[in-house]
């Protein structure tokens, strides 16, 4: 994608060939600068969707581009370069004291802006240094602590938390389960479009078999009620609704954990029933932590850590655990080997000799 520059009395007009969109920047005043920002952010969104980024990645990148522009008095990114990017990243680290991962996410968003959206390969890009993150061990509960935590949760959320611990799924992977992806015959669950766009299979815990069957029955009853009222079409990924027009109303595509009420999709404006949000489960785990008397920080992701750690403690192969977790590299899974008797837990203290 190329660019043409037109200079006039009011500044610089940048035209992206093939898009027909113009953005006026320069000394024309605040109105012209403000008018350019929405068009630029729309270009960022379009490019993210062209690259099939997740919706959360798109929202994060758009947010960082907006903050970068506002931090530089609404100047267009084409008027800025390495100095402004480094100053922005330094401000995040020094003034806001963000984590290295947050700082690197901001850098990735700005590099994406210049390289993929504005089609600019600038020399300073290669010299920008990424923040070096710290290696931190995950918080892991004992089996007894996990039991106390689950027993302290309301029944509506207990099955969701139990699935996180029993399968190692991420919270949104659990809440986005569809009826067709729960296979009671093979006792396995298929995780669709997980992190990195990958599918994988995880075991369906036998202890959850009956509870999950009941949950599926409840979801199908909700679906029948929606159909009787003229609704019942669920959101489908990757334009499958156009390829298979009737699939959105089929029972197999319905969410296992449907929301309590219907809502309007902000993108398509379609009224339907989405899956439950993660916020309610996170609050339920936080409250259960207090009732269980646990002093460790516990989140939904902690149960995923417990799944991996307890499997390795029981003698599972690390490659198997890697596949169940959906990690691309075994080095990511190796962080859980600190519980295998090779670290502090496997050494006898001199005081105990």
């Amino acid at each position: 994608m190329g660019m043409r520059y037109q200079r006039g009395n009011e500044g610089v007009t940048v035209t992206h060939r093939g898009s027909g969109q113009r953005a006026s920047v320069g000394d024309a005043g605040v109105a012209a600068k403000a008018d350019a920002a929405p068009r630029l952010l729309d270009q960022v969104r379009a490019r993210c969707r062209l690259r099939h980024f997740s919706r959360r990645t798109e929202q994060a990148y758009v947010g960082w581009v907006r903050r970068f522009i506002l931090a530089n008095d609404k100047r267009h990114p084409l008027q800025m370069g390495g100095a402004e990017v480094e100053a922005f990243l330094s401000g995040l680290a020094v003034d806001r004291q963000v984590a290295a991962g947050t700082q690197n996410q901001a850098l990735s968003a700005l590099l994406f802006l210049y390289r993929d959206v504005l089609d600019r390969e600038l020399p300073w890009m290669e010299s920008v240094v990424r923040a070096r993150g710290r290696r931190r061990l995950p918080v892991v509960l004992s089996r007894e602590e996990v039991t106390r935590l689950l027993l302290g949760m309301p029944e509506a959320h207990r099955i969701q938390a139990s699935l996180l611990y029993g399968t190692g799924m991420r919270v949104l992977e659990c809440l986005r389960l569809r009826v067709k992806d729960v296979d009671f015959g093979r006792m396995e669950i298929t995780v669709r479009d997980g992190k990195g766009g990958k599918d994988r299979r995880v075991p369906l815990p036998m202890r959850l078999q009956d509870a999950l069957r009941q949950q599926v029955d409840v979801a199908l009853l909700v679906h029948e009620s929606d159909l009787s009222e003229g609704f019942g079409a669920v959101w489908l990924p990757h334009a499958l609704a156009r390829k298979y027009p009737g699939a959105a109303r089929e029972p197999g595509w319905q969410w296992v954990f449907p929301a309590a009420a219907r809502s309007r999709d902000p993108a398509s404006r379609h009224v339907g029933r989405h899956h439950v949000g993660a916020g309610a489960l996170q609050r339920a785990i936080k409250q259960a932590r207090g009732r269980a008397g646990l002093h460790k920080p516990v989140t939904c992701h902690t149960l995923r850590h417990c799944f991996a750690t307890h499997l390795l403690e029981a003698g599972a192969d690390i490659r198997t655990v890697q596949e169940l977790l959906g990690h691309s590299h075994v080095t990511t899974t190796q962080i859980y080997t600190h519980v295998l008797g090779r670290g502090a837990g496997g050494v006898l203290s001199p005081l105990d000799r």
Side-chain angles (χ1 to χ4, degrees):
M1 182 174 64
M3 295 185 180
R4 289 188 290 107
Y5 298 86
Q6 297 177 358
R7 290 194 176 272
N9 296 330
E10 296 182 347
V12 181
T13 299
V14 183
T15 303
H16 295 267
R17 293 175 182 169
S19 67
Q21 294 184 350
R22 290 172 172 263
S24 297
V25 296
D27 300 325
V30 177
K33 298 175 187 176
D35 185 57
R39 288 199 291 270
L40 178 62
L41 296 182
D42 287 341
Q43 293 171 22
V44 175
R45 293 188 184 94
R47 183 59 61 171
C48 287
R49 294 174 188 180
L50 181 64
R51 296 282 298 274
H52 292 280
F53 287 173
S54 70
R55 182 59 61 90
R56 291 196 166 196
T57 300
E58 174 188 322
Q59 292 173 346
Y61 277 21
V62 170
W64 284 119
V65 172
R66 180 185 289 112
R67 295 185 194 100
F68 177 62
I69 294 173
L70 293 177
N72 290 277
D73 298 325
K74 298 184 180 179
R75 293 164 60 198
H76 195 282
L78 288 174
Q79 294 183 317
M80 298 181 281
E84 288 81 3
V85 170
E86 291 184 4
F88 178 70
L89 297 176
S90 297
L92 292 177
V94 176
D95 299 331
R96 298 183 57 185
Q97 298 182 347
V98 301
T102 303
Q103 187 178 0
N104 286 332
Q105 185 190 65
L107 174 58
S108 297
L110 297 181
L111 293 181
F112 176 79
L113 168 68
Y114 279 100
R115 287 175 174 167
D116 292 78
V117 180
L118 299 178
D119 197 19
R120 298 295 296 271
E121 284 288 347
L122 302 179
W124 55 264
M125 286 184 178
E126 303 302 330
S127 62
V128 175
V129 179
R130 290 184 175 272
R132 188 170 183 177
R134 298 179 179 177
R135 180 183 174 92
R136 298 187 183 276
L137 295 178
V139 174
V140 178
L141 305 179
S142 67
R143 297 174 186 270
E144 186 269 337
E145 289 173 330
V146 171
T147 300
R148 283 160 48 196
L149 179 74
L150 296 178
L151 290 178
M153 298 188 65
E155 186 175 353
H157 298 295
R158 186 183 304 158
I159 183 174
Q160 299 167 5
S162 298
L163 276 174
L164 297 183
Y165 172 61
T167 65
M169 288 187 290
R170 301 175 179 90
V171 59
L172 286 181
E173 292 173 345
C174 172
L175 301 182
R176 289 173 178 169
L177 279 180
R178 298 182 190 259
V179 172
K180 67 181 183 62
D181 295 326
V182 181
D183 191 335
F184 291 102
R186 296 175 60 89
M187 291 300 291
E188 65 182 19
I189 296 172
T190 303
V191 179
R192 303 287 184 184
D193 200 18
K195 189 174 182 179
K198 296 174 293 186
D199 295 352
R200 70 182 191 277
R201 289 187 174 90
V202 296
L204 195 165
M206 295 187 64
R207 289 189 178 183
L208 297 181
Q209 183 178 7
D210 293 339
L212 200 54
R213 284 185 184 274
Q214 294 176 6
Q215 179 60 40
V216 169
D217 291 340
V218 170
L220 294 180
L221 287 176
V222 171
H223 176 54
E224 291 179 5
S225 176
D226 287 343
L227 288 175
S228 65
E229 297 179 20
F231 298 95
V234 73
W235 175 84
L236 298 183
H238 310 305
L240 287 179
R242 293 199 301 269
K243 188 175 182 180
Y244 306 107
R249 288 180 167 80
E250 292 181 0
W253 282 99
Q254 306 308 307
W255 307 112
V256 173
F257 300 105
R262 293 186 290 266
S263 59
R264 186 181 299 275
D265 189 329
S268 65
R269 311 304 298 169
H270 167 74
V271 176
R273 193 178 297 273
H274 202 48
H275 60 73
V276 295
L281 177 58
Q282 291 168 342
R283 289 190 294 272
I285 288 181
K286 183 178 180 180
Q287 294 168 0
R289 167 182 168 268
R291 286 191 286 268
L294 302 178
H295 302 295
K296 301 176 183 177
V298 180
T299 65
C300 294
H301 211 69
T302 303
L303 295 175
R304 176 175 162 89
H305 295 323
C306 295
F307 166 83
T309 301
H310 294 168
L311 276 184
L312 291 173
E313 283 181 331
D317 179 73
I318 192 169
R319 292 287 185 178
T320 302
V321 178
Q322 174 195 353
E323 293 180 3
L324 293 176
L325 293 175
H327 289 161
S328 299
H329 304 285
V330 72
T331 53
T332 308
T333 317
Q334 284 175 344
I335 193 172
Y336 299 109
T337 59
H338 70 285
V339 301
L340 299 183
R342 302 171 187 167
V347 176
L348 187 64
S349 170
L351 190 63
D352 297 326
R353 291 184 185 274

